Amino acid sequence: MSWAIFNGGALATLYALDALADPKLAPPQAVVLISPMIGVTRFARFAGVAGWPALFPAFAKAAWLGIEPEYNPFKYNSFPVQAARESYALTRDVQRAVEAAQASGRLDRIAPILTFQSVVDFTVSTPAIVRALYDALPANGSEIVIYDVNRNANFDSLLRASAQSALTDLFAAPPRRYTTVVIANAPNGSSDAVARTVLAGARDETTTALASGFPPAVFSLSHIALPFPPDDPLYGIAPDRQEDFGVRLGTLALRGERSTLVVAPDAMLRLTSNPFYGDLADRIVRWVVALPKPPANAAAIPAAAKRPLPSAPPPPAMEFDAVP
């Protein structure tokens, strides 16, 4: 099974597509994607142009879409123009590979795909995941889980119209060849959450109550939140205090005057953990267990794919001066 997050999702999808045409590649039996980069905003297409002035020393900062303080111990906050350009090129490769596999009929053999995605995502395009990938998939057991915005009445007047309507036209009318699950508010208008499921090939929607709801101050999930549990020591909204990285990014609640901090206020508002992580983990296990087992006479993994990795060289000998 292949498991991938963010731009790794694009690479895993591209590998699964390449394996349909290349017998030297071992095809995955299933693919799990979290916030995959199947499409990005149109600005990324022209990001390289935005960086042209950086050829001149006086405009060196033009090579960056954003230069931020680096307070996160596991990722850079600053983002270069080149990375945006390469991200766009990768998504175009994925979309072309889907189109080519569909035209040749190879897409009928692709492994089932399970995806988790926030309906609002500042980094990648949620509609592209549905329209460029899922709408092309065969009826092979694929499933997509979408996290809606928190439609609790407390947030009605604060959400942009585009966020309010993000889910409206996301899916074609059922029946569809894949299962859709929408994690959303319960019908009572509270922060309680339900899973609204339409199975592949079905028209009717079933609703199941979830054990977790939307936390009081959370108006939506985010691109980076999905793979992290609420008790993550760095990103969690209820972090495990036994481990400390020097900062608790999931619990920051900064207050003060505007235009005072060197970081953008919206960066501090971005949710960094998933209040529905328990459901996500359970859903992955149930989905994988329910997958049909490969037949006993399935094609063997190509020898090239089974070749062991070369062993690492032994560490160099270390010499120490004698302690007097």
Side-chain angles (χ1 to χ4, degrees):
M1 183 180 74
S2 176
W3 168 290
I5 301 173
F6 309 155
N7 60 352
L11 294 172
T13 305
L14 190 59
Y15 177 89
L17 292 163
D18 287 345
L20 299 175
D22 189 345
K24 296 190 298 295
L25 299 178
Q29 295 179 15
V31 179
V32 177
L33 305 175
I34 299 179
S35 300
M37 190 179 65
I38 306 302
V40 292
T41 60
R42 290 190 175 273
F43 173 76
R45 180 178 183 180
F46 302 103
V49 177
W52 285 353
L55 294 172
F56 303 97
F59 301 99
K61 288 186 177 181
W64 298 82
L65 292 179
I67 300 178
E68 305 288 346
E70 301 299 345
Y71 51 81
N72 190 321
F74 293 107
K75 68 178 288 294
Y76 291 110
N77 295 321
S78 303
F79 197 77
V81 166
Q82 180 64 20
R85 180 61 181 157
E86 290 177 357
S87 295
Y88 173 77
L90 176 57
T91 61
R92 291 300 300 137
D93 287 345
V94 172
Q95 293 174 22
R96 291 190 185 104
V98 171
E99 294 167 0
Q102 188 177 28
S104 67
R106 295 192 305 269
L107 197 61
D108 291 343
R109 297 185 284 108
I110 196 167
I113 301 175
L114 171 63
T115 297
F116 297 86
Q117 174 66 29
S118 172
V119 72
V120 288
D121 192 313
F122 186 74
T123 304
V124 304
S125 168
T126 300
I129 298 171
V130 174
R131 296 164 193 166
L133 177 60
Y134 268 78
D135 285 351
L137 293 177
N140 66 348
S142 293
E143 181 174 321
I144 183 169
V145 180
I146 295 290
Y147 297 92
D148 194 14
V149 297
N150 185 356
R151 298 182 185 274
N152 183 301
N154 294 336
F155 294 113
D156 275 352
S157 60
L158 300 177
L159 293 175
R160 294 177 184 267
S162 58
Q164 292 270 21
S165 62
L167 190 63
T168 305
D169 300 320
L170 185 61
F171 296 113
R176 311 177 189 99
R177 292 186 296 274
Y178 52 90
T179 293
T180 62
V181 181
V182 175
I183 307 298
N185 293 85
N188 59 12
S190 70
S191 291
D192 296 337
V194 297
R196 306 201 315 252
T197 304
V198 179
L199 296 175
R203 295 182 181 274
D204 297 331
E205 179 180 272
T206 60
T207 301
T208 306
L210 298 184
S212 301
F214 288 94
V218 171
F219 52 86
S220 77
L221 272 71
S222 73
H223 177 73
I224 59 176
L226 271 56
F228 299 104
D231 63 351
D232 184 272
L234 177 62
Y235 299 117
I237 55 178
D240 181 350
R241 303 282 176 175
Q242 295 183 5
E243 194 170 6
D244 189 4
F245 295 100
V247 62
R248 307 284 185 189
L249 296 179
T251 59
L252 290 179
L254 305 179
R255 297 290 186 272
E257 183 56 277
R258 63 192 305 174
S259 300
T260 301
L261 297 177
V262 295
V263 295
D266 60 345
M268 298 292 98
L269 288 173
R270 202 176 198 189
L271 184 66
T272 53
S273 64
N274 185 355
F276 305 105
Y277 180 86
D279 177 77
L280 177 149
D282 291 343
R283 200 172 290 275
I284 291 174
V285 172
R286 293 197 304 268
W287 183 79
V288 171
V289 169
L291 289 174
K293 301 299 183 289
N297 60 350
I301 297 176
K306 295 191 297 183
R307 187 178 301 124
L309 295 174
S311 57
M318 302 181 68
E319 297 182 0
F320 300 92
D321 294 331
V323 178

